[in-house]
Amino acid sequence: MTSAVMVEEKVVYERPESLADVATHYCPGCTHGIAHRIVAEVLDELGVRDRTIGVSPVGCAVLAYKYFNTDGAEAAHGRAPAMATGIKRVMPDHVVFTYQGDGDLAAIGIAEIIHAATRGENITTIFVNNAIYGMTGGQMAPTTLIGQETTSSPGGRSQTLTGFPVRMAELMAGITGSAYIARRSLHNVKEINTAKRAIKTAFLAQLNGLGFSMVELLSTCPTNWKVSPAEALAWVESDMVPYYPLGDYKVAEEVKPLMKRR
Amino acid sequence: MPVELMKGNTALAEAAVRAGVEAFFGYPITPQTELLEHMSKRMPELGRAFVQAESEVASINMVYGAACTGTRVMTSSSSPGISLMQEGFSYIACSEVPCVVVDVMRGGPGLGNIQPSQSDYFQVTRSAGHGDYHAIVLAPSSVQEAVDLMGDAFDLADQYRHLVFVVADGLLGQMMEPAELPPMQPLRTERPDWALTGANGRDPNIITSLELSAPALEAVNDRLQAKLKVIRETEQRSTENMTKDARLVVVGYGTAGRIAETAVKQARREGMQVGLFRPITLWPFPEQRLSALTDHVEALLVVEMNAGQMVEDVKLAAGGQIPVEFYGRTGGVVPVPEEIYDAIVESYEKLA
């Protein structure tokens, strides 16, 4: 007689409920997938998936509404914060977030994002900064670094011709209506975990009605940077982080207890 | 309800409140600003949403967002602001979410001026944004009619899940007239099943105007066009006066139609068989009724406060059966009845 050995299996990793069970269109090595996942994990942990409405941008994340297992809308280029404002004002008990890239948020939509913050609009913005226009094939973004080669800054971005990369987290932190503004990076596991905590704080700020919150995520674009995924991660750390320092840029007094609670 | 003396802009705003508008997003621009000002007071006191946006671009996208939740929502602006909203109109039309937009037209092109005009007929009836669609366009000619059409605008928007314009001009927006407001409608408590309300116990609802595959986007267009066909066949509205025995019919809408009516009555007193046809829907243009009139009418005279825009629709409706004359003033000049009367005499003398 043989005795059966029961081995208890423990789930250590699974798809968050807030992430749809579909393949994404993102390129290999792109960190959009990581950003989606940690946002979805936060929505799960806060138990708000079924009352969340996401607003997608124009850009690489244009189809984000297919990847989040929440209600979603697709905004015009740069207008996601205005659209989110319209939604939040008539659905104040719902969780409303925008997910935007650097062309969408920092170029064509800079008015909408700044005024959403000046109104203290009680929404959360996930801002993916990969220093390039990905969807249109690698043109210069407002966040492209000086000297960075793109298809519309041949020979590298020139400060004489195009000025300087915009630091959005610093800009948004200067706005009184901003409750929580942070910049994080997705270039290694430690930073990803830190980024997730910031995203949770941002959504908690919204759930507590404290005003506008935004987490800027330094992200990769190996396809348009024309490097390998590993090289892309290394470039974020070596070149992006020095110009875009990581950290909390605005933490309203009422937000501080939310950060301690975890 | 008692009759009150009201400014057109204020009447439009209060009529929308009575029709159950739950959110207003707008930006100041003359000559519609009183509408926004009225909303800034009324909406918060009723616990409804009001935001003065940073631009017309933002306000129409706020409208788009709120419309996605199935609430009654509106904005108002004037010609240059309507130009800025074109992007949002297109997304709203493709996404098939209902909303109402008031356009109190002013003189153009460019910054133009703030005088009354009908120079944006093409803009609202033809090309309210890129892509291939028409919005429903309602054109009142008095404060009372503006009040009545605001309620209809919200009903049409909901019925067809479509973008509805109420177009006035600076004169109608600014003048005071007695009008009777409708009773306050209760706000709706239920949201439509397509609305973004949170995926609670159901699959996620998505509202988008993106469709990457050409055949799939053609299917979206087919659905939209089928809806517009129904609207075109069933929602044409117009009013007419003294057309039964008319040899010449003057065609004008809004303020121009109203001034033309005075001139038509003068012509009748002078023994001319003249009538008035006033479109109330600019899209769908009331081609069925106007076309029927060509059976006995010998000529049409179109009067507009522009260089000749609706005249193209009149010619299409007339189908080359009878001559179509035009008289217009531009730049914010409002024609007086005497000059329209002179144009009537000139057209009437050409009749065989």
Side-chain angles (χ1 to χ4, degrees), chain A residues 49-54 58 62-63 65-66 68-77 79-91 94 108 111-116 119 121, chain B residues 22-23 25 49-55 57-59 61-66 68-69 71 87 91 95 191 195-212:
Chain A
R49 186 199 68 82
D50 60 3
R51 59 183 175 105
T52 293
I53 300 169
V58 169
V62 69
L63 294 170
Y65 57 81
K66 289 191 174 182
F68 289 109
N69 186 25
T70 66
D71 274 10
E74 212 307 290
H77 199 25
R79 317 300 177 217
M83 203 173 179
T85 297
I87 296 169
K88 186 73 179 187
R89 291 293 178 119
V90 293
M91 308 286 273
H94 282 58
I108 196 166
E112 283 78 9
I113 194 69
I114 284 181
H115 281 281
R119 288 189 302 270
E121 210 63 60
Chain B
E22 290 166 77
F25 306 96
F50 170 89
V51 176
Q52 181 175 322
E54 64 271 26
S55 68
V57 174
S59 50
N61 283 287
M62 291 175 188
V63 166
Y64 184 21
C68 289
T69 70
T71 53
E87 171 190 69
Y91 282 68
S95 303
R191 301 265 188 253
L196 304 185
T197 55
N200 188 356
R202 59 159 170 77
D203 288 339
N205 280 345
I206 301 298
I207 292 182
T208 179
S209 62
L210 177 70
E211 187 49 78
L212 290 169

